[in-house]
Amino acid sequence: MLRTLFSPRLVGLHLLTIGVLIAFVFLGRWQLGVFEESGRPRAAADPAPVPAATLAPLAAQLTGDVVGRRVTAEGAYDPARQLLVADRRPDVDAPGGKASQDDGYWVLTPLRLDDGTLMPVVRGWVAASDDPAAADVPAGRVTVTGRLSPQQGTDSVQRRAEALPAGQVQTVSTGELVNLWAGEKVRPGFVVAQPPSGSLTQVAIAPPATEGALTWRNLAYAANWWIFAGFAVFMWFHFVRDAVRSDRDRGKSPEMALEG
């Protein structure tokens, strides 16, 4: 049997089968990768900046198509109403609350627009609550450029067991800001300033993205290649079995002739 398995004609078959298996498995993995990639979010069009007030109407929620959009806002900061968003990293997508406890603070300052409404603006990030950069609020009329982010639910983070000091919050929640900035009309969401204000650290925010559409056809292609690989193994086994049986039968023929 071993002599048959390692005969020149079967060695060639073994090598061919191994090559086919490697190729088919690789092709299947490639198609699977294409399928997985198709489901990932993709960068969407990034239009020119528009006034924040046009995308963040009062008494409404931000729609998904405006999240991450570039916006501008003109007005004057209200330093007396500034807040620090505690337990935050300099990235909008990073977890907050206990997951980032003592990692730093977003500096949240309302910008009073020309119509009298307040647009919450994350001017930047500081590592400590007493950082002088947080208190350095630009005076007079300013034009802020940045990206729009939706409000955060008050239950979106795991909060500290102890109460926060006055002037600090855990989330940028429109409902909470309406209560804290009593008597003011607050626009939904918040603007992440780009560039940051003064010497504050930039808070990262991703541009708009669209959900990917899974291409199930590529998953089917991957399955096909792996089925072909299985069929190649079956055919290899079939040819090897027939070769072993044939050689075994030829080895028995002289003995059968002598017995006859």
Side-chain angles (χ1 to χ4, degrees):
M1 180 177 177
L2 289 177
R3 187 164 51 247
T4 302
L5 289 175
F6 290 100
S7 63
R9 61 194 176 100
L10 285 188
V11 167
L13 177 64
H14 301 332
L15 295 176
L16 177 62
T17 303
I18 292 172
V20 167
L21 285 177
I22 292 174
F24 286 4
V25 169
F26 173 79
L27 289 169
R29 186 64 189 88
W30 168 58
Q31 289 291 345
L32 180 63
V34 173
F35 167 75
E36 292 172 342
E37 185 66 27
S38 68
R40 292 174 183 160
R42 300 179 181 277
D46 197 8
V50 297
T54 63
L55 301 182
L58 289 170
Q61 297 290 335
L62 297 185
T63 56
D65 59 323
V66 306
V67 172
R69 282 280 303 273
R70 291 185 292 166
V71 294
T72 60
E74 295 185 14
Y77 281 120
D78 187 346
R81 300 180 187 274
Q82 178 168 285
L83 299 168
L84 295 179
V85 186
D87 304 326
R88 293 288 171 168
R89 303 171 193 171
D91 189 335
V92 168
D93 292 329
K98 277 192 173 183
S100 300
Q101 187 162 341
D102 299 325
D103 281 351
Y105 303 82
W106 292 348
V107 181
L108 179 67
T109 313
L111 183 73
R112 189 175 297 279
L113 306 180
D114 293 339
D115 62 1
T117 61
L118 296 182
M119 185 74 235
V121 177
V122 172
R123 296 193 297 116
W125 176 90
V126 289
S129 60
D130 57 354
D131 191 320
D136 184 17
V137 182
R141 188 174 181 81
V142 297
T143 299
V144 178
T145 59
R147 292 190 182 275
L148 196 59
S149 183
Q151 71 155 330
Q152 301 171 321
T154 55
D155 58 350
S156 62
V157 299
Q158 185 180 4
R159 295 172 173 267
R160 297 187 184 197
E162 68 278 7
L164 290 172
Q168 294 186 20
V169 292
Q170 288 267 221
T171 58
V172 187
S173 166
T174 303
E176 187 175 10
L177 294 179
V178 168
N179 292 328
L180 291 173
W181 299 336
E184 301 287 352
K185 294 181 179 179
V186 183
R187 292 190 174 271
F190 58 97
V191 175
V192 179
Q194 292 183 327
S197 172
S199 58
L200 297 174
T201 299
Q202 176 72 67
V203 175
I205 179 171
T210 57
E211 292 295 326
L214 290 171
T215 54
W216 296 99
R217 178 182 57 190
N218 293 104
L219 182 61
Y221 288 161
N224 282 341
W225 283 118
W226 291 331
I227 290 172
F228 293 158
F231 182 72
V233 172
F234 170 78
M235 293 303 297
W236 169 84
F237 174 78
H238 176 77
F239 285 125
V240 169
R241 182 190 60 184
D242 286 351
V244 170
R245 285 179 176 176
S246 177
D247 286 356
R248 184 181 300 156
D249 290 344
R250 278 197 297 268
K252 288 181 179 180
S253 294
E255 296 178 5
M256 294 175 63
L258 289 174
E259 290 178 1

